[in-house]
Amino acid sequence: MKSLRMLGAGRVELVELPEPSAGAGEVVVETAMSALCGSELKGYRGDGQPTGNNGHEAAGVVAAVGEGVDPALLGQRVGVCAVAGCGQCEQCAAGRTTWCGSFRVYVNMHAERFVAAASALHRLPDDLPWEPGVLLTGDGLGVPYHTSTKIAGDDVRTVAVLGAGPIGLGNVLMQAHLGRRVIAVDLSAWRLDAAKRLGAAEVIDAGAGDPVAALRELTDGRGPDVCIEAAGRPETALSCFAAVRTGGTVVFNGEQGPLQLSPSDHFIRRDITAVGSWFYHYGEYPAMLALYRDGLRAADLATHTLPAAGADEAWRLFAAGQAGKVLLDWRGAV
C-alpha cells in the first residue's frame, strides 16, 4: 500500500507500507481523496515524520470492518471525522465528540487506505461529490462551521477574518454565505484575491499599512462586530483585540503559544468576549450538509486537486501560500 511520508525540509515521498487492519470498533477506508491541512506544515518544513503523516481529512469507501462493527458499512461512501469520542459519555451522546474527555485523533490518512473509528464516519449521499464531501467532514469547513455557531447573534453584521490561509478562507466562505459582510486581511495578494472570489466584500493588505486602522476606516470608526484570528500569530491576535468594536467578539482559530493579554485593556474596559473554536463536533455534520444543499460553495474552497503521485507539487503549492485547500486524489493515481 502506498502512503505519504513527510521527510522534512520541504520534501515528501510515497512509500510502500503494510496493509492497515481494523481493530475493534474500527474500519479500513479505501481513500478517494485526502486534504492537506496547515497544521501539517510543521512536519513538512521541519524534521519530518519517519513513521508516516498527520493527514486527518479524508473520504473514501469502507473496505473492511473490525470486531463489533456492522458489516452493512462495507462499500459505503464516507467522510471521516478525525476526532473520535469514547461513545459512552454525556458529550458523545450529544454529538460533541471534541469535548469528550477520552477522545482519540486518527491520522495517516494520506494513503491508499487508512484506519478510522466506525463511530466517526459520516455517510456521504450518492449525489455528493468527493471534493465537497472531504471538506464538509474535515477541518476545511468543519472549523469554519463550528466557529459560526459561536457568533450566531443577529447583531453580528460585519466579520473580519485576519489570516486568509485555508481556515481563514473557509471562514470567509462560511460567513459570506450566512449573509455577513466579510473583510479579509492578509499579506498575500493571492490569498486576498481568493478571499474576494469566496465572498469577501473588502480585503486589506496587511503589509501596506496598519490593518487595524484600515478595519476601523471600513467600519466608520466602530470596528467589526467579530474578528476571527486565523493566522496563529501573536501580532494578528493583538490586532483582533485592537480592531473589534466595543462589546464585540474575538474568535481564536489559529493555534499558537502563550500570548500576553491584559484583562483590563483587552477585555474589561470594552466588554470584549474572546472564544476558542477547535475542529468541529461530530453531530454538526447534518447542519453543514444542509448548508451545502442551500448553496454553500464548499467545493470552491479547494483550489487545487492533484493525483497522489503529485504530492510533492501539492505540498510545494500549499506551503508557498499559493493555494486554498489542496486535495490529493488517490483513485488509481499510484
Side-chain angles (χ1 to χ4, degrees):
M1 177 196 76
K2 297 291 186 183
S3 180
L4 189 69
R5 181 165 68 185
M6 312 296 282
L7 299 175
R11 297 173 300 130
V12 300
E13 68 175 354
L14 290 176
V15 297
E16 194 71 31
L17 293 180
E19 290 289 336
S21 59
E26 296 178 334
V27 301
V28 174
V29 177
E30 181 98 20
T31 315
M33 287 191 174
S34 63
L36 278 56
C37 178
S39 64
E40 301 171 65
L41 285 170
K42 183 177 180 180
Y44 175 74
R45 292 170 170 155
D47 296 331
Q49 295 171 242
T51 58
N53 62 78
N54 272 339
H56 53 273
E57 298 179 71
V61 176
V62 178
V65 299
E67 180 184 348
V69 179
D70 187 352
L73 283 174
L74 288 168
Q76 296 292 325
R77 299 174 73 246
V78 297
V80 179
C81 180
V83 179
C86 70
Q88 305 297 319
C89 68
E90 177 184 1
Q91 299 297 349
C92 286
R96 297 188 292 261
T97 47
T98 60
W99 292 1
C100 170
S102 302
F103 73 75
R104 296 165 293 158
V105 178
Y106 283 78
V107 293
N108 286 311
M109 295 186 189
H110 296 310
E112 288 187 274
R113 284 167 288 281
F114 63 89
V115 173
S119 63
L121 303 180
H122 293 298
R123 173 77 180 272
L124 299 184
D126 291 340
D127 65 338
L128 181 66
W130 291 116
E131 291 84 354
V134 72
L135 295 168
L136 289 167
T137 58
D139 293 25
L141 285 167
V143 171
Y145 176 78
H146 187 58
T147 295
S148 76
T149 68
K150 311 275 187 174
I151 51 173
D154 292 338
D155 60 338
V156 177
R157 295 179 293 275
T158 300
V159 177
V161 179
L162 283 77
I167 291 297
L169 291 173
N171 278 303
V172 169
L173 176 65
M174 182 66 65
Q175 293 301 315
H177 178 76
L178 294 175
R180 272 76 179 265
R181 174 194 180 194
V182 181
I183 306 171
V185 183
D186 204 278
L187 292 165
S188 164
W190 189 96
R191 287 177 168 175
L192 293 176
D193 285 341
K196 291 179 186 175
R197 293 193 297 271
L198 292 173
E202 293 99 1
V203 298
I204 294 172
D205 180 354
D210 181 1
V212 172
L215 284 168
R216 290 280 178 172
E217 182 176 353
L218 286 173
T219 55
D220 298 323
R222 180 172 177 266
D225 301 307
V226 172
C227 286
I228 300 175
E229 202 293 312
R233 299 183 63 86
E235 59 270 31
T236 312
L238 293 174
S239 292
C240 285
F241 282 97
V244 74
R245 68 164 170 83
T246 297
T249 300
V250 173
V251 182
F252 285 99
N253 273 176
E255 299 273 5
Q256 58 181 290
L259 175 66
Q260 187 170 349
L261 294 172
S262 163
S264 293
D265 294 338
H266 293 105
F267 296 92
I268 296 172
R269 291 174 185 163
R270 291 201 300 126
D271 281 343
I272 301 301
T273 299
V275 298
S277 184
W278 180 70
F279 209 71
Y280 74 97
H281 293 318
Y282 177 82
E284 291 174 329
Y285 169 66
M288 287 189 276
L289 184 58
L291 284 177
Y292 173 76
R293 298 290 194 206
D294 189 47
L296 178 68
R297 296 184 292 126
D300 289 356
L301 189 59
T303 57
H304 298 76
T305 300
L306 287 84
D312 190 66
E313 173 65 7
W315 276 100
R316 187 193 66 77
L317 283 168
F318 191 60
Q322 299 298 303
K325 290 296 282 188
V326 177
L327 308 182
L328 293 178
D329 190 336
W330 292 86
R331 297 169 295 173
V334 292

